[in-house]
Amino acid sequence: MTIGEVAARSDVNIQTIRFYERKGLVLPDARNAAGYRQYTDVAVRRVRFIKHAQEIGFSLKEIGELLSLRVDEETTCADVRGKAQEKIVAVELKIRNLQHVREALLGLVARCDVDRPVSDCPILEALDEADLAR
């Protein structure tokens, strides 16, 4: 099938397929006599795998590692589970960081009196001073 067919069946655009190719995540199976890329159903499955992995937060580098694990005959489910557990730790750290950002923003908004002139805005002042905790 053509790159356009893979894109349509995977619900992505052609540029996404080309991007994944540049990253080494999806490769054409062959080229026809005119030099056009030719793919099989395996490419569609890979693109869908990449999309789903991205949706739950895996980076393209991490997805490449997962795809490598998938073809390594010595890999066990425990290896894949380990990658998922590493991702959970990273997500939990990101959540904690976002909670700190939220708290800082809530504090800034609470200090903001909407009737003040912008020259006396505590949000802008705090950002100038990088003192978001006060």
Side-chain angles (χ1 to χ4, degrees):
M1 78 185 78
T2 66
I3 192 170
E5 291 169 320
V6 172
R9 289 179 61 189
S10 305
D11 197 28
V12 299
N13 60 45
I14 291 171
Q15 290 78 16
T16 300
I17 306 289
R18 289 187 179 134
F19 178 74
Y20 291 163
E21 283 182 3
R22 286 192 302 275
K23 296 294 184 181
L25 298 172
V26 175
L27 300 174
D29 295 295
R31 290 192 181 257
N32 67 14
Y36 290 104
R37 299 169 180 96
Q38 296 292 294
Y39 301 87
T40 64
D41 288 334
V42 172
V44 173
R45 183 175 176 207
R46 256 181 115 93
V47 171
R48 288 179 178 164
F49 177 94
I50 294 165
K51 274 184 56 178
H52 295 149
Q54 284 182 304
E55 287 169 1
I56 62 170
F58 285 100
S59 69
L60 291 180
K61 180 180 183 242
E62 293 165 332
I63 293 167
E65 293 169 1
L66 289 171
L67 289 168
S68 293
L69 289 174
R70 178 177 239 170
V71 297
D72 183 351
E73 292 179 10
E74 294 184 21
T75 298
T76 66
C77 191
D79 298 317
V80 177
R81 183 176 189 213
K83 293 290 183 187
Q85 288 173 319
E86 289 173 14
K87 193 63 183 176
I88 290 168
V89 170
V91 167
E92 288 172 346
L93 176 62
K94 192 177 286 188
I95 289 169
R96 282 194 301 275
N97 288 338
L98 286 171
Q99 287 172 333
H100 289 296
V101 169
R102 180 180 182 275
E103 292 303 316
L105 287 168
L106 286 171
L108 290 173
V109 168
R111 292 183 10 226
C112 186
D113 179 359
V114 294
D115 294 327
R116 287 185 186 181
V118 73
S119 60
D120 192 29
C121 177
I123 296 173
L124 296 176
E125 288 175 10
L127 293 172
D128 275 340
E129 298 169 12
D131 183 13
L132 304 179
R134 25 173 230 169

